[in-house]
Amino acid sequence: MLSEDQLRSYHENGIVVPDYQFPADLLEGIKSDHARLTARHPEFTDMCPTVLAYDLCFLNYVRAPGLIDMVGQILGPDFALWNSSFFAKPPFKGRRTPWHQDGDYWPIRPINTCTVWIAVDDSTPENGCLRVIPGSHKSRRVMTHRMNKGKDVNLSQELDPLEYDESQAQDIVLRAGQISLHDVFLVHGSEPNLSSKPRRGMTLRFMPTTSVFDRDLARQQQIDKELGVGHQERTLFLMRGQDRSGRNDFSFKV
Ligand SMILES: O=C(O)CCC(=O)C(=O)O
């Protein structure tokens, strides 16, 4: 569980690294499931935005002991898993994640998500660890993003540089098996991986069920933001409690 200080730190900084170690056998499972995914889908060698749409075995990792207890401390008693992505950043050619806020292109209203980021490998400045601007989530505002269709980035939405001060950035250095949890408005990104070591990171995205996953909005966002992948077909998996909005659609999507 998160201590009171850690919970305070999450609300203050928009991110926290708990005293948590992902079980070694599950971490090995993630590696082999990811290897199978990328063997079938080489297009995801660098990044896969929606692993559950291709292989439900990634759901197993949500049940790592204690993991969703920490999410519940942040989001409250009623929440769902709505997505899982893989930022694999292979050695020498792993692309940069542009500075962004997750809230910019997710169809959840009111905007609210907690992301669990699992370090599958040691994640360091050399291989492109996650970087964040602590406290940047506090205005609860989606800042101005621009389209970036460059081949050197793994997301197409990039924050306007006037919106943040990169000198305030902090590296989130993690050993393999450590995790971080971050807020949907936190400004974050990462440098390319030009090192000889992989930097695999898997995310689990949770939303409180007081918010609505709006599939019509997802369709519109895909058009407006020219997203390669839209979120209208994501399956929501209820993790705890019940649907407090009464409007979420939990039907299974393939
Ligand atoms: O792992 C990265 O480089 C970026 C991760 C990210 O953008 C996210 O988890 O929202």
Side-chain angles (χ1 to χ4, degrees):
M1 297 295 276
L2 298 171
S3 66
E4 279 193 13
D5 272 357
Q6 288 168 334
L7 207 46
R8 220 181 346 264
S9 164
Y10 179 88
H11 292 302
E12 189 58 30
N13 298 313
I15 187 162
V16 70
V17 177
D19 308 320
Y20 184 84
Q21 182 68 33
F22 208 77
D25 56 330
L26 293 185
L27 209 58
E28 288 310 309
I30 293 181
K31 288 180 196 168
S32 65
D33 290 342
H34 180 249
R36 192 178 59 246
L37 176 76
T38 52
R40 283 189 196 146
H41 294 279
E43 69 274 23
F44 298 142
T45 302
D46 190 302
M47 195 255 182
C48 179
T50 56
V51 292
L52 295 173
Y54 296 91
D55 197 335
L56 285 175
C57 67
F58 289 99
L59 267 183
N60 290 329
Y61 306 111
V62 181
R63 293 291 178 193
L67 196 79
I68 63 172
D69 294 331
M70 291 183 281
V71 176
Q73 285 179 281
I74 289 168
L75 294 182
D78 305 280
F79 61 92
L81 175 80
W82 70 271
N83 197 17
S84 171
S85 316
F86 218 102
F87 292 83
K89 291 218 185 177
F92 304 116
K93 57 177 185 194
R95 286 177 296 170
R96 172 170 83 86
T97 304
W99 289 105
H100 68 284
Q101 292 170 299
D102 297 332
D104 179 51
Y105 54 99
W106 288 349
I108 295 164
R109 296 294 181 272
I111 298 175
N112 196 354
T113 287
C114 171
T115 290
V116 174
W117 196 100
I118 303 163
V120 180
D121 303 297
D122 291 343
S123 187
T124 66
E126 290 70 41
N127 66 359
C129 63
L130 194 62
R131 305 190 78 214
V132 307
I133 312 275
S136 53
H137 65 302
K138 276 191 166 167
S139 66
R140 313 307 289 165
R141 174 175 77 87
V142 176
M143 302 173 191
T144 307
H145 289 68
R146 300 180 182 149
M147 194 89 73
N148 180 348
K149 291 263 173 116
K151 290 208 183 328
D152 61 324
V153 286
N154 55 19
L155 298 176
S156 61
Q157 294 294 318
E158 179 163 28
L159 256 183
D160 183 328
L162 293 176
E163 294 278 22
Y164 62 96
D165 174 1
E166 196 166 343
S167 71
Q168 303 299 308
Q170 242 178 46
D171 290 329
I172 305 298
V173 177
L174 300 176
R175 286 186 314 279
Q178 281 191 294
I179 66 169
S180 61
L181 293 90
H182 73 254
D183 182 87
V184 69
F185 288 104
L186 182 72
V187 172
H188 62 288
S190 63
E191 292 298 310
N193 181 10
L194 304 177
S195 79
S196 58
K197 298 188 175 141
R199 197 240 59 178
R200 287 166 290 186
M202 179 176 150
T203 68
L204 298 166
R205 318 283 195 187
F206 299 93
M207 58 175 272
T209 61
T210 44
S211 289
V212 176
F213 192 86
D214 184 338
R215 298 183 187 281
D216 293 331
L217 175 59
R219 246 170 241 115
Q220 198 54 49
Q221 285 177 326
Q222 185 174 22
I223 296 166
D224 294 346
K225 295 179 184 293
E226 298 178 37
L227 302 177
V229 176
H231 286 304
Q232 51 274 27
E233 298 302 331
R234 296 286 79 75
T235 300
L236 306 190
F237 299 93
L238 189 62
M239 290 285 125
R240 287 267 168 92
Q242 53 187 287
D243 180 25
R244 291 288 166 190
S245 74
R247 291 176 49 207
N248 279 309
D249 160 14
F250 291 88
S251 61
F252 192 70
K253 313 274 175 192
V254 281

